[in-house]
Amino acid sequence: MLALRMPWPLPALVAWACAWLIFVALQRAVSPVAALLVACLLGTAASVLGDSWWRRGLIAAGFPLSLALLGAASLPTWAWLVPLVLLLLVYPLNAWRDAPLFPTPRHALQALAVQAPLPLGARVLDAGCGLGDGLKALRLAYPAAQLNGLEWSWPLRLLCASRCPWAQVRRADMWKADWSAYQMVYLFQRPESMARAAAKAQAELAPGAWLVSLEFAVPGWLPSAQLRPPGGRVVWLYRMPQQQEK
């Protein structure tokens, strides 16, 4: 995607400009509150282009903040809750401590099946599937697997399900869901959440199952294998039960 290759702050500037254009254009056809809603929807949707939480927040909040500062529209007080509600729908409070919404590169997992072969019909989970890029990368590696995704944000869950109709995508908390039915769990998390993911995998995954992490290693665990694509992120593979590094 061109937008993902834009240097910062171009994604924010483009999103803000588009939101303003939509808001101004709709003024003649709908009420100011409806125009605000549509423009904020655009800004919130565009926020997924940010590669960190503060950048996503700036992209989503830029238009309503500029509108408030300029006083360019007469709106009821409650209408200013619209951008906040939209932001919380896409990024629920409990999701802010998890990984940023950043896509798995399409071919990042292409050689995964060589290092971690799975039987036909194996159940594979993308825990925190976001918009579905991880599921698409897993499908390239395991075309005969039963792919599943868990996503807490219901707008992202709906978008993911529409992009990945061949996968079963559910709205659920990845930390509360049971992982025991899966032969592989894939993660693209924060470094500080890897210890929590490792403890859950150790407690719930069956012997022989795999925990796969893009970019971030489990502290204190000895990987069963690694994938190091040229110019790409490291993929860490751990087979259960896991042994601690000496």
Side-chain angles (χ1 to χ4, degrees):
M1 261 180 92
L2 175 62
L4 290 176
R5 297 195 296 268
M6 287 183 184
W8 183 261
L10 278 181
L13 296 176
V14 171
W16 298 341
C18 290
W20 268 105
L21 287 173
I22 289 291
F23 180 74
V24 172
L26 289 177
Q27 287 288 296
R28 301 176 181 177
V30 299
S31 68
V33 174
L36 173 69
L37 174 62
V38 175
C40 288
L41 275 171
L42 175 63
T44 304
S47 69
V48 301
L49 300 176
D51 59 1
S52 65
W53 285 118
W54 70 268
R55 287 183 177 182
R56 282 191 293 281
L58 282 176
I59 293 174
F63 165 72
L65 285 177
S66 62
L67 182 64
L69 291 173
L70 293 174
S74 178
L75 296 166
T77 303
W78 61 265
W80 296 106
L81 293 174
V82 168
L84 177 61
V85 170
L86 291 175
L87 192 62
L88 289 177
L89 285 175
V90 177
Y91 305 109
L93 290 176
N94 72 328
W96 288 75
R97 66 175 181 266
D98 294 332
L101 183 63
F102 199 71
T104 297
R106 180 173 177 80
H107 298 290
L109 309 178
Q110 197 163 9
L112 187 57
V114 176
Q115 298 291 342
L118 296 176
L120 295 178
R123 299 190 67 193
V124 177
L125 173 67
D126 183 353
C129 55
L131 289 169
D133 293 276
L135 286 170
K136 289 188 173 185
L138 287 167
R139 192 186 190 200
L140 287 178
Y142 301 105
Q146 297 182 46
L147 298 178
N148 297 260
L150 296 179
E151 174 54 51
W152 181 251
S153 166
W154 68 261
L156 294 182
R157 181 263 163 195
L158 291 174
L159 288 170
C160 180
S162 67
R163 296 183 71 210
C164 307
W166 30 262
Q168 182 181 356
V169 182
R170 296 189 294 119
R171 181 185 178 272
D173 186 339
M174 58 175 280
W175 301 112
K176 294 180 180 179
D178 185 5
W179 292 1
S180 63
Y182 302 101
Q183 283 76 57
M184 176 179 287
V185 174
Y186 168 73
L187 301 163
F188 187 8
Q189 278 290 309
R190 294 176 182 270
E192 56 269 26
S193 63
M194 288 309 300
R196 185 182 184 188
K200 184 173 178 63
Q202 191 81 296
E204 297 181 6
L205 291 182
W210 295 88
L211 177 68
V212 178
S213 172
L214 179 62
E215 190 164 356
F216 304 118
V218 174
W221 278 22
L222 187 65
S224 304
Q226 297 177 40
L227 302 178
R228 294 182 177 269
R233 296 180 171 90
V234 179
V235 182
W236 302 85
L237 288 75
Y238 303 94
R239 196 165 196 184
M240 301 299 117
Q242 185 55 218
Q243 296 182 357
Q244 301 292 317
E245 289 180 335
K246 296 182 179 179

